[in-house]
Amino acid sequence: MTIVAEHYNYVVGVDTHARTHTYTALAADTGAVLDTATFPTTTAGTTRAIAWIHRRTHNGNVLAAVEGTSSYGARLTCALLAEDIPVAEVRPPNRNMRAMHGKSDAIDAQAAARSVLGQEIEELIEPRAAGARTALRILLAARNLMDHQRTANRNALTALLRGTDLGVDARQPVKDAQIATIAAWRITAHAEPEVMVARAEAKRLAIAVRAGTEQLGANRAALQSLAEELAPGLQETPGIGPVTAAIIVCAYSHHGRIRSEAAFAALAGVAPRPASSGNTTRHRLNRSGDRQLNRAFETIVRTRLSYDPDTRDYVARARATGKTSREIRRNLKRYVARSVFRQLESIMA
């Protein structure tokens, strides 16, 4: 196994922000800081930054360690790769590191570079691929926003109907049929102004809820098409629908980004954590990792629990051994992560 310090002559750490990026160049063999500079995130600023990298590294073998390769550093990552400068994704320093070394853009850029010096080349995290995967990420972010807005509008409508007598039974959350009826109301003059205003607001909220439902349907269709294009057959796996497939494909990104199924499970936060003490040997749920991917696996497991005979048989056997519901669900999520990773390795190679 070869580590970064043995393979590369220089490592450039980048602390990314909305307006500026801060770069620190290190000599890989000694860890000495060669220079630090800050450039704006504009196209011209990125061009100047890449020229600075070439000057400080004497066009040697260089690796860029970039924070936020899918957010603030996304455009920089594309520019670096276009210049044949390999990029490794790094995480921001944790609280303990900042307590020891302080906090500034230059310190964070240097920490980004140092964090990869001792890593093996095969263990570096590659940035997510662009193209259709970027479209998937945009659609997922849009779906999350639309879903929150629709839920907020539906809750506001229910609260309004419970607070004002508009002739609608709102003892339970309003149903789709009730929302359709309210959206078709005609607003006419009324003897009581508050009733007329309440009816108008109820109609506006109902129309917004129905529009949100239509937008979510179109979003789901787009996710289904793109996910099938990138990972053919994945949605035929029991429990995996368009949304969960899109989340999984975005996390996996491309062949080679994640080195093993164990790493994929760790990324999803479904790798069990040892929690043994004394005579007690046990594991606990992992609360780290990509929480959106973890939620996707949770959805898959719950879906399979509702209809899949094999899953139900496993639950019965596990309960007979004394396992709790939480332990059973954790084991099922780990199993799903393993099987999905192997499927992705075969269909996205």
Side-chain angles (χ1 to χ4, degrees), residues 29-328:
D29 55 351
T30 63
V33 176
L34 302 177
D35 199 1
T36 298
T38 300
F39 298 94
T41 58
T42 60
T43 302
T46 301
T47 301
R48 288 168 50 205
I50 292 174
W52 176 89
I53 291 173
H54 287 313
R55 290 196 305 272
R56 293 300 180 271
T57 61
H58 309 289
N59 293 315
N61 193 12
V62 57
L63 171 70
V66 182
E67 292 182 5
T69 58
S70 296
S71 54
Y72 289 142
R75 293 172 59 188
L76 172 64
T77 298
C78 292
L80 290 170
L81 293 175
E83 289 289 322
D84 294 325
I85 298 176
V87 177
E89 181 180 346
V90 297
R91 296 181 177 86
N94 58 32
R95 186 176 300 177
N96 292 334
M97 289 292 294
R98 284 177 172 164
M100 293 173 58
H101 302 289
K103 171 74 175 77
S104 73
D105 293 347
I107 291 173
D108 288 350
Q110 186 179 145
R114 294 195 186 281
S115 68
V116 300
L117 283 176
Q119 286 191 28
E120 296 177 358
I121 301 296
E122 294 78 9
E123 293 183 357
L124 293 175
I125 302 175
E126 296 183 25
R128 289 187 173 97
R133 293 168 181 82
T134 300
L136 270 184
R137 288 196 291 274
I138 293 171
L139 285 171
L140 285 172
R143 183 178 187 84
N144 187 52
L145 179 60
M146 287 187 287
D147 191 39
H148 278 80
Q149 289 175 337
R150 185 183 66 164
T151 300
N153 288 331
R154 187 185 287 270
N155 291 342
L157 177 59
T158 300
L160 178 61
L161 294 173
R162 287 173 177 172
T164 307
D165 184 9
L166 298 178
V168 178
D169 183 3
R171 289 175 295 176
Q172 299 292 329
V174 289
K175 306 293 192 299
D176 290 341
Q178 292 174 306
I179 290 174
T181 300
I182 296 170
W185 277 354
R186 295 180 62 186
I187 308 302
T188 57
H190 197 278
E192 300 179 7
E194 66 273 16
V195 173
M196 185 174 65
V197 171
R199 283 178 65 88
E201 177 62 10
K203 178 174 181 175
R204 184 191 71 79
L205 290 170
I207 291 173
V209 170
R210 297 194 74 193
T213 300
E214 293 175 0
Q215 291 167 357
L216 284 168
N219 178 277
R220 179 184 175 88
L223 288 173
Q224 182 177 18
S225 176
L226 278 173
E228 182 64 24
E229 176 187 335
L230 292 169
L234 180 61
Q235 295 174 68
E236 298 173 8
T237 303
I240 298 182
V243 178
T244 50
I247 293 171
I248 290 168
V249 170
C250 282
Y252 177 84
S253 187
H254 57 277
H255 187 75
R257 178 174 185 259
I258 301 172
R259 65 185 184 277
S260 67
E261 57 90 8
F264 187 59
L267 175 65
V270 299
R273 290 284 181 86
S276 302
S277 178
N279 295 327
T280 302
T281 301
R282 61 179 292 269
H283 292 77
R284 67 167 176 83
L285 289 171
N286 188 340
R287 296 178 178 83
S288 61
D290 185 331
R291 303 318 295 169
Q292 192 174 31
L293 181 59
N294 185 282
R295 186 179 65 182
F297 286 140
E298 178 76 15
T299 301
I300 295 168
V301 167
R302 289 187 181 276
T303 302
R304 291 186 180 184
L305 284 170
S306 66
Y307 74 90
D308 184 50
D310 293 336
T311 303
R312 289 182 169 182
D313 289 344
Y314 168 76
V315 172
R317 294 194 307 270
R319 288 196 189 281
T321 64
K323 290 187 180 297
T324 65
S325 296
R326 178 173 289 186
E327 289 172 333
I328 292 170

